Amino acid sequence: RGPVDPTRFLPVAEASGLDVPLGTWTCAQGLTTLARLDAHGPRRLRLLLPVTVGQLTSTGYADQLLGLLAQHALQPQRLGLLVAPPVI
């Protein structure tokens, strides 16, 4: 069916409790792609990820992000977080 807009997808993921594991997977995939792109050109691109409040408040989330950045030899400044409003 094609891409799904984060404004439609994130509320469903958050309500089902899947926002944290899906967010971790998404971040890992995005950073893998960013590292691959770096191998073919200048390191100017940044990755902007939509995140939920649930992700930001989950235990160890910051450490996971830092670990993924280190795993791909990327500087933290290359990652931006776009905080999605909480689902009511």
Side-chain angles (χ1 to χ4, degrees):
R1 294 184 185 219
V4 178
D5 188 280
T7 60
R8 294 186 67 200
F9 174 77
L10 286 174
V12 175
E14 192 172 16
S16 66
L18 293 174
D19 54 327
V20 175
L22 287 173
T24 301
W25 180 86
T26 303
C27 183
Q29 295 300 308
L31 292 175
T32 296
T33 300
L34 187 58
R36 286 182 184 155
L37 290 170
D38 280 356
H40 299 287
R43 297 176 169 223
R44 294 186 198 150
L45 297 176
R46 293 183 67 219
L47 177 64
L48 180 61
L49 289 175
V51 296
T52 64
V53 172
Q55 287 174 270
L56 292 175
T57 59
S58 70
T59 303
Y61 183 70
D63 291 334
Q64 283 181 344
L65 290 181
L66 291 173
L68 288 168
L69 286 162
Q71 177 183 339
H72 296 288
L74 295 168
Q75 296 296 315
Q77 297 86 345
R78 306 278 307 278
L79 178 63
L81 303 178
L82 177 63
V83 181
V87 176
I88 298 176

